[in-house]
Amino acid sequence: MNVPAPATALAGAVQAPTTLPGNPHDKAAKRQRVLDILDARGHDALLLTSHTALTWYLDGSRMHISLAGDPIAALLVDRRGERLVTFNNEAERLAAEELPPGVELHTVPWHGQLADAVGALAGPGEPLAEKAVAAELRAARQPMLPGESARYARLCADAASAMTDVLSRTTPDTTEFEVASALAARIVAAGAEPLVLLCNGSSRSAFRHPLATHSPLGRRAMAVVCARRHGLVANLTRWVRFDAGTAEELDAEERIAAVEADIFAATVPGARLGGIFGEIQAAYARHGFGADQWTLHHQGGPAGYAGRDPRATAATDDVVVPNQTFTWNPSGPGVKIEDTVQLTAAGTGVLTFDPRWPAAEVNGLPRPLTLQL
């Protein structure tokens, strides 16, 4: 039997570099939200283990190496403070570049087990597992704080700008892979990670999640970006066309924007996601797409530290709150519309907005048109 190595503490609390995105006031508010969860559950400690929870609580710290891998750390939050356990080959970089002040850092050997080490730190009694309070943590993430709202707005603007720059330089002969690679370069150059890059040309327009291929764009194409920076994920879809478009296409584009407008109208503080989902179903039928259209693709939902947090369904009961962010993505045959937005005291604001992209005003919001080249 292998005995797990004990966690080793690094001397003192970690001091964050000046480039760290975290905001001390936001971080303090997040800690209080977690302590409120502990109070409500009658527990003294909570163990955070997912990318979503870790990057939210640590206010933007990167807890990954591989985009496809598990987090490289686990965080124990209790009434004494916060103790992060990571592998010995990750600790120096995390201490120097990622962690906000006051987080106590512990290590295990690279071949050790994070969970075993955290268990030893927790002392008597099991800490609450993240999945046991998933709904409460999701609710704690929903109202964006000032610092993270500002970071999110900058990321969304950068992602929208990248989409404009790349798609405005395409031709019918540009391949889907060339679009995806150019978008990836722009996203990485902006200090973000391309979590999702999709592209389909006219020969593959039937696919709603089109991974890129060597196919040329042809007369019309769609591109999708989900970009993550400081834990936050910006989502948007754009279309480009190299002719005037068919009457059917133009009609469908106008109708899918009307579906989205109905979704935005239903997304107000106090509404429940399940109720909004019912409005989505009705909007498809109301605007001529058929009552079953919602069954052919997910419809989006709250956004932020996950691409969707969560995807809305008829069964999701989360309540919409002020300062919450959303990415709805209604779609139909050959059409889709998607942006990341935030609910504020002034109403709904489009975060993934680039004034260079052609747009039409729909119910007071600038909505993207297909770029005609």
Side-chain angles (χ1 to χ4, degrees), residues 158 162-163 165-166 177-194 197 225 227:
D158 286 347
M163 191 76 90
D165 287 346
V166 170
F177 271 138
E178 287 172 336
V179 171
S181 64
L183 285 170
R186 283 296 307 269
I187 296 301
V188 173
E193 300 125 17
L197 289 173
V225 164

Coordinates of all heavy atoms in Angstrom, one line a residue, residues 158 162-163 165-166 177-194 197 225 227:
D158 N -12.0 42.1 -26.4 CA -10.9 41.5 -27.2 C -11.3 40.4 -28.1 O -10.8 40.3 -29.2 CB -9.8 41.1 -26.2 CG -9.1 42.2 -25.5 OD1 -9.2 43.3 -26.0 OD2 -8.4 41.9 -24.5
A162 N -11.0 40.3 -32.1 CA -10.3 39.2 -32.8 C -11.2 38.6 -33.9 O -10.7 38.4 -35.1 CB -9.9 38.1 -31.9
M163 N -12.5 38.5 -33.6 CA -13.4 37.9 -34.7 C -13.5 38.9 -35.8 O -13.5 38.4 -37.0 CB -14.8 37.7 -34.0 CG -15.7 36.9 -34.9 SD -15.3 35.1 -34.9 CE -16.3 34.5 -33.6
D165 N -11.3 41.1 -36.9 CA -10.1 41.2 -37.6 C -9.9 40.0 -38.5 O -9.4 40.1 -39.6 CB -8.9 41.3 -36.6 CG -8.8 42.7 -36.0 OD1 -9.4 43.6 -36.5 OD2 -8.1 42.8 -35.0
V166 N -10.2 38.8 -38.0 CA -10.0 37.6 -38.7 C -11.0 37.4 -39.9 O -10.6 37.2 -41.0 CB -10.0 36.3 -37.8 CG1 -10.0 35.0 -38.6 CG2 -8.8 36.4 -36.8
F177 N -9.9 25.6 -41.2 CA -8.7 25.6 -40.4 C -7.9 26.9 -40.3 O -7.4 27.3 -39.3 CB -7.8 24.4 -40.8 CG -8.1 23.1 -40.2 CD1 -8.1 21.9 -41.0 CD2 -8.4 23.0 -38.8 CE1 -8.3 20.7 -40.4 CE2 -8.7 21.7 -38.3 CZ -8.7 20.6 -39.0
E178 N -7.9 27.6 -41.5 CA -7.2 28.8 -41.5 C -7.9 29.9 -40.6 O -7.2 30.7 -39.9 CB -7.0 29.3 -42.9 CG -6.0 28.6 -43.7 CD -6.0 28.9 -45.2 OE1 -7.0 29.4 -45.7 OE2 -4.9 28.7 -45.9
V179 N -9.2 29.9 -40.6 CA -10.0 30.7 -39.8 C -9.7 30.4 -38.3 O -9.4 31.3 -37.5 CB -11.5 30.7 -40.1 CG1 -12.3 31.4 -39.0 CG2 -11.8 31.2 -41.4
A180 N -9.8 29.1 -38.0 CA -9.6 28.7 -36.6 C -8.2 29.0 -36.1 O -8.0 29.5 -35.0 CB -9.9 27.2 -36.5
S181 N -7.2 28.8 -36.9 CA -5.8 29.1 -36.5 C -5.6 30.6 -36.3 O -4.9 31.0 -35.4 CB -4.8 28.5 -37.5 OG -4.9 29.1 -38.8
A182 N -6.1 31.4 -37.2 CA -6.0 32.8 -37.0 C -6.7 33.3 -35.8 O -6.2 34.2 -35.1 CB -6.5 33.5 -38.3
L183 N -7.9 32.8 -35.5 CA -8.6 33.2 -34.3 C -7.8 32.7 -33.0 O -7.6 33.5 -32.1 CB -10.0 32.5 -34.2 CG -11.0 33.2 -35.1 CD1 -12.2 32.3 -35.2 CD2 -11.3 34.6 -34.7
A184 N -7.2 31.5 -33.1 CA -6.4 31.0 -32.0 C -5.2 31.9 -31.7 O -4.9 32.3 -30.6 CB -5.9 29.6 -32.2
A185 N -4.6 32.4 -32.8 CA -3.4 33.2 -32.6 C -3.8 34.6 -32.0 O -3.1 35.1 -31.1 CB -2.8 33.5 -34.0
R186 N -4.9 35.1 -32.4 CA -5.4 36.4 -31.8 C -5.8 36.2 -30.3 O -5.5 37.1 -29.5 CB -6.5 36.9 -32.6 CG -6.1 37.6 -33.9 CD -5.3 38.8 -33.7 NE -5.9 39.7 -32.8 CZ -6.8 40.7 -33.1 NH1 -7.0 40.9 -34.4 NH2 -7.3 41.5 -32.2
I187 N -6.5 35.1 -30.0 CA -6.9 34.9 -28.6 C -5.7 34.7 -27.7 O -5.6 35.3 -26.6 CB -7.8 33.7 -28.6 CG1 -9.1 34.0 -29.4 CG2 -8.2 33.3 -27.1 CD1 -9.9 35.2 -28.9
V188 N -4.7 33.9 -28.1 CA -3.6 33.7 -27.3 C -2.7 35.0 -27.2 O -2.2 35.3 -26.1 CB -2.7 32.5 -27.9 CG1 -1.4 32.4 -27.1 CG2 -3.5 31.2 -27.8
A189 N -2.6 35.7 -28.2 CA -1.9 37.0 -28.2 C -2.5 37.9 -27.2 O -1.8 38.8 -26.6 CB -1.8 37.6 -29.6
A190 N -3.8 37.8 -27.0 CA -4.5 38.7 -26.0 C -4.4 38.1 -24.6 O -5.0 38.7 -23.7 CB -6.0 38.8 -26.4
G191 N -3.6 37.1 -24.4 CA -3.4 36.5 -23.0 C -4.5 35.6 -22.6 O -4.7 35.3 -21.4
A192 N -5.3 35.1 -23.6 CA -6.4 34.2 -23.3 C -6.2 32.8 -23.8 O -5.2 32.6 -24.5 CB -7.7 34.8 -23.8
E193 N -7.1 31.9 -23.5 CA -7.0 30.5 -23.9 C -8.2 30.2 -24.8 O -9.4 30.5 -24.4 CB -7.0 29.6 -22.7 CG -5.8 29.7 -21.8 CD -6.2 30.0 -20.4 OE1 -7.4 29.6 -20.0 OE2 -5.4 30.5 -19.6
P194 N -8.0 29.7 -26.0 CA -9.2 29.4 -26.9 C -9.8 28.0 -26.5 O -9.3 27.0 -26.8 CB -8.6 29.3 -28.3 CG -7.1 29.0 -28.0 CD -6.7 29.5 -26.7
L197 N -13.2 26.7 -30.6 CA -13.0 27.3 -31.9 C -13.8 26.5 -32.9 O -13.3 25.4 -33.2 CB -11.5 27.5 -32.3 CG -10.7 28.4 -31.5 CD1 -9.2 28.3 -31.9 CD2 -11.2 29.9 -31.7
V225 N -16.3 31.4 -31.1 CA -15.1 31.5 -30.2 C -15.6 31.5 -28.7 O -16.6 32.2 -28.4 CB -14.4 32.8 -30.4 CG1 -13.4 33.1 -29.2 CG2 -13.5 32.8 -31.7
A227 N -13.4 32.1 -25.4 CA -12.1 32.5 -25.0 C -12.1 32.7 -23.5 O -12.9 33.4 -22.9 CB -11.6 33.7 -25.7

